[in-house]
Amino acid sequence: VEAYTECCFDNKHVKTPVYSLNSLRHGHTLQGPLIIINNNSTIIVEPHCTAAITQSGDVDIELGQVRLSTVDTSLDAIQLSIFSHRFMSIAEQMGRVLQRTSISTNIKERLDFSCAVFGQDGGLVANAPHIPVHLGAMQETVQMQMRIYGDDLHPGDALLCNHPSAGGSHLPDLTIITPVFYGGAAKPTFFVANRGHHADIGGITPGSMPPHSRFLSEEGMAVKTFKITQRGVFQEEDIIELLTRGGEGADNVGTRRLSDNM
């Protein structure tokens, strides 16, 4: 041992020996915590780990069995940062997958979409840095679907909504909400949702954003809730019927870009 110093492990100061790598030889085995130094580097061997000097003079560190700390609701700045970034990365990956798999110019090139993760109560947990106007109202959209369906949500379900009274923005922004069930739970453990702009969902003008509309029905398809998949089965015929159904009046037609929406 060259010296001793104080090191902090698991929020505790521990008297830690310091070894010179040049004085260690093949066959030496040292139990952490300890520090190994030479002219070019410093190696920290944590508690419950073992450092062994190999025949070539390298340091082989074997990780021991440690007691994992329990994750709870107590305030911990490090855990808060770790989990906030983990949850945010989920939303970011959702966005990347959505962009790669889409055929719509609005999604693939204009990036007019948003993705987020919501808790068991429908509250926003984390979102990717997408469109702020989408993200501000998505929590209400998720919670509205929870109020509508109650216990009638099952693995493989996905819900469609774009109605402004159910947390929607303008009608071309369609929101898909998916409840996620973990470990055979009877109720959703959390929710994921994405909201994306669609080129045309019907109405009296192409683009579904008429400046002279007087009724919501003149702006295209308006859906408070619809199970676009039920227990994993895509309801293709029903969603096509919703998109192509026109409103009152000769000019109030269904979507003009069905292939772009599907």
Side-chain angles (χ1 to χ4, degrees), residues 135-154:
L135 299 165
M138 285 175 71
Q139 173 175 300
E140 174 58 29
T141 304
V142 174
Q143 292 175 340
M144 171 64 78
Q145 302 307 306
M146 294 175 63
R147 291 193 291 269
I148 292 173
Y149 287 99
D151 295 332
D152 190 24
L153 291 173
H154 310 280

